Amino acid sequence: MRARTRPPRDGARLFLAASHTAGALLLCAVLCLVSAVWPPSRLTLVEVWYGGSAALALLAVAVLLLRDRPRAPLAALVAAVGIGGVLVASCQTLAGVVTTSLGLVVAGQAAALLGEPRTVRRVLGLVVVVLGLAMLASPVPFALTTWLVLALTTVVMSGLVTYLLQRLRLLATTDDLTGALTRAAFDERAALVLHDAARRGRPAAVVCLDVDDFKVVNDTLGHAAGDEVLVRLVDGWRAGLADDDLIGRVGGDEFAVVLAGRDAAAAEDWVTAVGLRHVAGDPTWSHGVAQADGDEPVRDALARADEALYARKGRRVGGSV
């Protein structure tokens, strides 16, 4: 019996992962518990901090239980911002308000790890609004300057982290020549696509692509010409992809594509369509298609597509169709 695939344990690299989120929430729960057991002020409402600690701990457990849900870290971060707002509102001193607000500042920085710019902006806006409302709700007189400094720090630091992470993601996950995903990034994201398709009962197909006689191009025209050929071919393949589809470079002149929502027949149609974009004079390429078998491992689907590719190559060399 084929083993079921689980999505990557920590989601895509350089993105907020379930295990990271749960660890951060547990750390916050411990800090809240410490503040309740050893309150920094005799005015501290320890029952609120006990409640906050319990809520954060339960949230951490929920994230781990729902780790196969891609949106779980986002939901947990939003819930944690709400809990942080309650804690800020309960503070009885200015020092307590400022210190506790730093947790919301960190949450704003963590938003940069979500990856989607629109989502990051929305979470940042939520943090800034919750911070202002919590400070207004606190018995400590509202200090506009303090709120502005904390809000500006949150936005600026999150923007800096977002920029750096975008550069790191690009370097870590993208082939610098063709723009296709690297092998590691492709395997990781393909696992998520296949898992999501199986969960929704939708088909998904894997296509392996191999440039024919690519060594001849490099040996006769040079490696620079070979690089240009690969760039043109990948541009043609990518032009036929939908938003949820993936293309990765899995070897020197070997590429793989995941087509979400398409079965093997539809994948063959995709191959035919992108073949029409072939530039005259460029080397031809061979392909193999495999429809994902439920929630199977990516390596198994790739192996079957690769077998189909080399079977096709063998038939061509043997003179059969």
Side-chain angles (χ1 to χ4, degrees):
M1 180 180 296
R2 187 185 301 276
R4 280 182 59 82
T5 303
R6 295 188 63 183
R9 292 182 63 85
D10 286 330
R13 289 189 176 103
L14 299 176
F15 288 86
L16 192 62
S19 58
H20 301 152
T21 306
L25 290 171
L26 285 174
L27 175 60
C28 292
V30 170
L31 293 176
C32 286
L33 183 60
V34 170
S35 296
V37 176
W38 294 286
S41 168
R42 59 187 179 83
L43 300 176
T44 301
L45 302 177
V46 293
E47 61 275 9
V48 176
W49 289 86
Y50 276 122
S53 177
L56 290 168
L58 289 174
L59 195 56
V61 173
V63 170
L64 291 176
L65 292 176
L66 300 173
R67 65 186 309 155
D68 62 334
R69 303 294 180 89
R71 309 295 285 183
L74 170 60
L77 182 59
V78 170
V81 169
I83 296 171
V86 172
L87 294 175
V88 171
S90 73
C91 292
Q92 307 294 303
T93 64
L94 179 60
V97 167
V98 173
T99 303
T100 308
S101 296
L102 293 178
L104 292 176
V105 174
V106 172
Q109 294 176 25
L113 294 166
L114 294 171
E116 300 175 2
R118 181 182 301 178
T119 303
V120 173
R121 289 193 295 269
R122 288 176 176 175
V123 173
L124 273 177
L126 175 66
V127 169
V128 170
V129 170
V130 168
L131 179 60
L133 293 176
M135 293 177 68
L136 283 170
S138 169
V140 178
F142 179 75
L144 179 60
T145 302
T146 302
W147 174 76
L148 286 174
V149 169
L150 291 170
L152 186 61
T153 300
T154 302
V155 173
V156 171
M157 292 304 298
S158 182
L160 177 60
V161 173
T162 298
Y163 171 76
L164 294 175
L165 283 175
Q166 286 176 342
R167 299 299 301 170
L168 286 173
R169 287 179 185 129
L170 184 64
L171 293 173
T173 63
T174 306
D175 174 51
D176 59 354
L177 174 65
T178 64
L181 294 172
T182 61
R183 176 60 188 265
F186 175 82
D187 287 348
E188 202 162 31
R189 296 187 189 180
L192 290 172
V193 172
L194 296 188
H195 176 79
D196 184 65
R199 184 171 61 85
R200 298 186 181 187
R202 302 174 62 209
V206 175
V207 182
C208 283
L209 304 163
D210 181 79
V211 183
D212 299 326
D213 302 319
F214 185 65
K215 185 176 185 301
V216 176
V217 176
N218 282 333
D219 290 345
T220 58
L221 301 178
H223 289 280
D227 288 347
E228 293 176 0
V229 166
L230 291 181
V231 171
R232 286 195 297 271
L233 289 175
V234 173
D235 285 345
W237 295 331
R238 187 186 288 112
L241 298 180
D243 291 340
D244 294 334
D245 299 334
L246 305 172
I247 182 168
R249 188 177 185 180
V250 296
D253 61 326
E254 299 173 359
F255 296 82
V257 170
V258 171
L259 301 172
R262 302 193 221 191
D263 57 15
E268 291 288 355
D269 292 339
W270 175 84
V271 171
T272 301
V274 296
L276 299 176
R277 300 185 180 92
H278 185 266
V279 177
D282 281 348
T284 58
W285 42 272
S286 300
H287 76 279
V289 172
Q291 184 170 331
D293 183 11
D295 204 3
E296 71 174 325
V298 174
R299 62 179 180 274
D300 291 355
L302 279 173
R304 291 191 291 109
D306 203 46
E307 290 175 4
L309 183 152
Y310 281 98
R312 188 180 300 272
K313 277 181 174 286
R315 290 194 299 269
R316 190 189 72 231
V317 173
S320 56
V321 180

